[in-house]
């Protein structure tokens, strides 16, 4: 994708994010996105088939790079952020990124559309837990199916984030990580969370 295409795509994302902070996803029209981004209809459809595809790509971009950088993978949009040390639990990295509020993620998570974003967040989080914990043998409870444990951990973390955001993030990311680790300590080797 060339620089001009990236700039147009970014303008569409910004317009869509702004509209999502103001109204329900189902009330937003493609025309409103086009008007807000100051682009033509053909340009919009050259990038996204539908509004649903735009939502999917926005969420993948948003949560994908947060999760990638939380596990130490390079990402051009976050390479300058300081996320702590390599030995911090990956969940702490995620919370720090959320606290930095890149792309107004906190506004989206606390908006009327939060169920949509929490669902995408959970989907990306499941992939993270599978690659970082299940695939590496870091799940504790062998009596339960691993996909059940992965779903439980990701659901619990999403609800933890939702609770934190809805309580105006009064606790630090470190405190929230501590709360979360207490809830999953029977399922994941806590020592391994610091690897």
């Amino acid at each position: 994708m060339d620089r001009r295409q990236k700039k147009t795509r970014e303008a569409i994302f910004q317009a869509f994010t702004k509209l999502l902070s103001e109204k329900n996803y189902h009330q937003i029209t493609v025309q409103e996105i086009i008007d807000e981004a100051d682009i033509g209809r053909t340009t919009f459809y050259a990038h996204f088939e539908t509004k649903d595809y735009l939502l999917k790509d926005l969420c993948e971009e948003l949560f994908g790079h947060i999760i990638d950088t939380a596990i130490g993978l390079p990402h051009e949009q976050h390479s300058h952020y300081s996320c702590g040390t390599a030995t911090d639990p990956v969940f702490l990295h995620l919370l720090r990124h959320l606290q930095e509020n890149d792309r107004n993620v906190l506004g989206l998570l606390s908006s009327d559309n939060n169920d949509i974003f929490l669902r995408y967040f959970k989907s990306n989080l499941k992939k993270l837990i599978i690659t970082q914990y299940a695939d590496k043998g870091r799940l504790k409870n062998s009596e339960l199916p691993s996909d059940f444990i992965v779903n439980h951990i990701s659901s619990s973390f999403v609800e933890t984030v939702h609770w934190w955001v809805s309580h105006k993030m009064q606790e630090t990311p470190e405190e929230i990580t501590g709360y979360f680790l207490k809830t999953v300590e029977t399922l994941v080797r806590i020592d391994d969370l610091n690897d």
Side-chain angles (χ1 to χ4, degrees):
M1 188 181 308
D2 68 29
R3 196 168 27 157
R4 193 170 48 95
Q5 289 173 315
K6 285 182 182 177
K7 191 174 179 181
T8 300
R9 187 177 170 91
E10 184 61 29
I12 295 169
F13 279 158
Q14 286 179 357
F16 189 44
T17 301
K18 180 178 183 292
L19 290 166
L20 283 166
S21 69
E22 298 169 354
K23 61 200 305 188
N24 191 287
Y25 169 74
H26 300 292
Q27 296 172 328
I28 298 170
T29 66
V30 170
Q31 188 60 52
E32 288 175 309
I33 299 166
I34 290 168
D35 292 344
E36 185 67 38
D38 196 24
I39 58 168
R41 185 169 287 277
T42 305
T43 302
F44 176 87
Y45 286 112
H47 288 271
F48 305 100
E49 284 182 47
T50 65
K51 182 177 74 167
D52 290 341
Y53 280 100
L54 169 56
L55 175 66
K56 180 178 179 288
D57 282 7
L58 174 67
C59 289
E60 285 178 3
E61 161 76 16
L62 181 66
F63 297 120
H65 85 260
I66 288 174
I67 287 173
D68 285 353
T69 54
I71 60 172
L73 297 177
H75 194 284
E76 62 189 54
Q77 297 212 5
H78 252 61
S79 58
H80 62 284
Y81 281 48
S82 172
C83 294
T85 68
T87 58
D88 288 337
V90 72
F91 299 105
L92 177 56
H93 286 279
L94 286 171
L95 292 169
R96 286 178 176 154
H97 277 288
L98 291 171
Q99 187 179 48
E100 289 169 355
N101 200 20
D102 186 45
R103 289 191 177 279
N104 192 29
V105 67
L106 297 176
L108 295 174
L109 290 175
S110 60
S111 73
D112 290 341
N113 301 293
N114 70 0
D115 58 326
I116 295 170
F117 291 97
L118 291 172
R119 187 171 61 243
Y120 276 102
F121 185 35
K122 181 180 174 187
S123 174
N124 279 275
L125 197 55
K126 276 181 160 179
K127 293 176 198 167
L128 169 75
I129 293 165
I130 289 168
T131 59
Q132 295 297 301
Y133 303 109
D135 289 351
K136 294 181 178 180
R138 294 175 165 177
L139 301 181
K140 270 185 175 178
N141 196 329
S142 60
E143 296 172 15
L144 300 172
S146 64
D147 60 333
F148 176 83
I149 295 172
V150 166
N151 185 67
H152 181 76
I153 293 169
S154 59
S155 297
S156 179
F157 189 74
V158 166
E159 286 303 316
T160 298
V161 169
H162 184 248
W163 181 87
W164 187 44
V165 170
S166 69
H167 284 84
K168 311 272 190 261
M169 299 170 66
Q170 295 176 29
E171 296 81 3
T172 65
E174 291 78 9
E175 288 172 315
I176 294 297
T177 301
Y179 297 169
F180 176 71
L181 293 179
K182 286 277 188 205
T183 67
V184 298
E185 65 187 357
T186 60
L187 300 173
V188 181
R189 289 193 207 103
I190 298 299
D191 293 343
D192 287 342
L193 292 176
N194 297 317
D195 287 350

